[in-house]
Structures are given as C-alpha cells and as structure tokens.
Amino acid sequence: SSEGGIARGEEYLRRALAFDPDYADAWAGFGASLQGRFLAEGADVLDESIAYLEKAIALDPSHAFAHAW
C-alpha cells in the first residue's frame, strides 16, 4: 500500500539521518514526505515538515528541492 511505502521511506530517511545528521537531502526528503502527508491526510505534521526543510536549507542554502516546498 502507499501508506506502507511512505512509512518505509520515512524509516529509511530516519536511518540516513541517524548515520549522517548533516545529510541535507534526507532532511529535505523527510520534510517533503511530511508535507505530502499533511496535504493528503491532514496529518498534524506541517510544523515538523517546515522545520525539516529549513534544516536542509541551513545545511545547504542552494538546496533547490527544499526551497521548492
């Protein structure tokens, strides 16, 4: 199911961040995933997603994907 795929993807991002907390792509990917859940389900994750995207931008100010969200 797509819910299972999203949860699995978020778990991989958690593992990537545990391994390398300065990995901007993982912060951006996780932020985008959370925003997707917010938009699709109304999940209460908007503030968290924005914080993750801001972290990606802090680590890499030119991170286009993080800026796009």
Side-chain angles (χ1 to χ4, degrees):
S1 76
S2 62
E3 284 183 24
I6 292 169
R8 189 170 39 254
E10 289 179 358
E11 178 56 30
Y12 291 143
L13 291 166
R14 279 188 198 88
R15 290 180 189 181
L17 290 171
F19 181 75
D20 182 0
D22 293 330
Y23 186 31
D25 286 346
W27 286 105
F30 211 152
S33 178
L34 292 174
Q35 281 211 1
R37 285 183 31 212
F38 170 76
L39 293 171
E41 306 164 11
D44 188 21
V45 293
L46 185 59
D47 290 340
E48 185 179 7
S49 71
I50 291 169
Y52 282 26
L53 293 164
E54 288 175 344
K55 175 72 173 181
I57 292 167
L59 291 167
D60 181 359
S62 66
H63 201 289
F65 183 77
H67 281 285
W69 281 93

